[in-house]
Each structure stands twice: as C-alpha cells, then as structure tokens.
C-alpha cells in the first residue's frame, strides 16, 4: 500500500504537471493507487495524495467501475449547485458540506493512453471535481467555510508537530540505548584483554 500524504504536506498544495506518456510503469502505479484507495476505504485518489505531482487520479464511484483519468480537463459544469458532505483520505475524519456543480463533462486519457469524454452527474461528478481539485493543489476544505479550513489546517499542523516530537524522542531513546550497549561491549572487550 502506498503512503497517503496528509494535510500540511507541501505536495498537496503544488500544481501537478501533465503526464508525458502512458507507460507500463504508470499503469503499475495506477494499480497501486487503486489498491491503496480500496484498502483505505476511499472512492477516489489523486497522484498528489501519494506524493506525486502528476495529473492523474483514479475513482471507483457507486457504480463500482474502475475509472482512470490522466491529464484530465473539466470542460463543462452545470449551473446548478448541490450540497454534499465530503471527506478526504488526506484529511482523515474531517467532513464538511461543500457546494459543487451537479454535473460535469470531463476529457482525459485512460490507462491505455486513449482519449475519452465523460458526462457525469451525482456522486461521480462530485468525486471527479474533488479529485481534479487535488491536481491544482486544492483540498475540499478550501471550498467551504474559511474558519473551518483554518481550524482544520491548524489541527493537522499540531498533529504533525506532535508526531515529529514523538519521532525525535524515539530516535533519541534508540541512540541512548545503542550508546549503553556499545559502552557495555567496550567494557567487556577491555576486561577480556
């Protein structure tokens, strides 16, 4: 399973670059993305979420069809907006009602490099918009209440800082233990001389 980047990691805020060619290596990455998304109980996963700033995302919506979007472009959106509670694998356990167009038309390449156009509505349209936003460094909370977005970002920054402190403490403890073991070994070898 690939590591999913969390809010606060720079890769989620960078604009992604187009995929230059559809290769076996890219197809292998796509399969890993599907596996990771399914394992994490997600419905969509964009390349920036796994640390790669390329224009690629994968989706399995409520129709259970595996869809791949390489170098996608939303070419049309409906005027009518609908509210729906969104979440994100990169912002776990955070949900907010977000208004988005109810329908979209998107063009992209599939995993074989073949161009297609898709008209989508309902949940599929929402997932497409959510994942496509990731390619432009936008996360769903950016589309909602600014105070909620700031509070969420602050909470994730605090979590990251705590995780770094724990990691540093664990590494310091490991160094102290290694130093004690080395000192004992040195003492033993000196006594054996």
């Amino acid at each position: 399973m690939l590591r999913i980047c969390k809010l606060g990691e720079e890769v989620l805020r960078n604009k992604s670059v187009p995929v230059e060619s559809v290769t076996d290596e890219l197809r292998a990455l796509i399969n890993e993305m599907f596996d990771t998304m399914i394992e994490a109980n997600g419905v969509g996963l964009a390349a920036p979420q796994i640390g790669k700033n390329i224009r690629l995302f994968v989706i399995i919506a409520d129709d259970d069809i595996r869809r791949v979007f390489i170098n996608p472009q939303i070419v049309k959106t409906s005027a009518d907006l609908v509210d729906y509670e969104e979440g994100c694998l990169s912002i776990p356990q955070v949900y907010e009602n977000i208004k988005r167009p109810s329908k979209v038309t998107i063009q992209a390449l599939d995993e074989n490099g073949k161009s297609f156009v898709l008209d989508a509505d309902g949940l599929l349209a929402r997932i497409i918009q959510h994942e496509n936003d990731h390619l432009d460094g936008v996360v769903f909370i950016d589309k909602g209440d600014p105070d909620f977005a700031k509070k969420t970002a602050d909470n994730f920054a605090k979590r990251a800082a705590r995780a770094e402190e724990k990691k540093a403490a664990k590494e310091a403890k490991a160094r102290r233990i290694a130093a004690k073991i080395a000192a004992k070994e040195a003492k033993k070898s000196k006594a054996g001389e």
Side-chain angles (χ1 to χ4, degrees):
M1 195 165 121
L2 302 167
R3 187 181 81 79
I4 297 174
C5 300
K6 300 294 186 270
L7 183 65
E9 293 184 53
E10 190 177 330
V11 69
L12 293 175
R13 293 305 192 171
N14 294 337
K15 194 168 172 85
S16 293
V17 299
V19 172
E20 291 182 18
S21 61
V22 180
T23 61
D24 288 342
E25 185 180 307
L26 185 71
R27 281 187 279 276
L29 176 66
I30 288 166
N31 285 331
E32 285 182 273
M33 288 175 69
F34 273 118
D35 291 345
T36 299
M37 181 188 76
I38 292 164
E39 182 71 26
N41 294 316
V43 292
L45 187 66
Q49 293 180 274
I50 54 146
K52 298 194 177 298
N53 279 125
I54 57 173
R55 298 193 77 78
L56 163 68
F57 63 84
V58 299
I59 287 175
I60 301 178
D62 48 356
D63 56 7
D64 287 332
I65 297 171
R66 290 167 63 118
R67 290 186 172 92
V68 176
F69 298 81
I70 300 168
N71 297 337
Q73 286 184 296
I74 293 177
V75 293
K76 188 171 148 191
T77 58
S78 62
D80 58 310
L81 303 176
V82 289
D83 254 345
Y84 191 85
E85 187 177 69
E86 291 188 26
C88 182
L89 296 176
S90 291
I91 313 174
Q93 298 161 353
V94 173
Y95 304 92
E96 185 180 13
N97 278 328
I98 302 296
K99 273 190 191 335
R100 292 189 188 269
S102 63
K103 298 177 183 175
V104 297
T105 301
I106 187 167
Q107 63 184 30
L109 302 176
D110 66 14
E111 64 272 26
N112 297 311
K114 186 179 174 199
S115 181
F116 70 93
V117 175
L118 176 68
D119 292 314
D121 61 7
L123 183 60
L124 179 59
R126 180 163 296 272
I127 299 167
I128 286 169
Q129 292 171 82
H130 178 112
E131 299 308 330
N132 197 67
D133 279 349
H134 276 299
L135 306 184
D136 294 321
V138 175
V139 293
F140 81 96
I141 58 172
D142 298 340
K143 302 268 183 176
D145 178 340
D147 291 336
F148 181 78
K150 183 179 179 346
K151 182 180 170 189
T152 301
D154 290 348
N155 285 341
F156 272 78
K158 287 175 189 169
R159 283 186 204 177
R162 282 195 302 270
E164 279 300 314
E165 286 171 9
K166 282 183 180 178
K167 182 181 170 188
K170 190 175 179 180
E171 289 171 354
K173 184 177 180 180
R175 284 193 300 274
R176 285 194 304 273
I177 290 169
K180 283 182 182 180
I181 291 170
K184 281 184 180 180
E185 291 299 318
K187 200 173 187 181
K188 276 184 189 175
S189 56
K190 213 173 196 182
E193 288 176 358

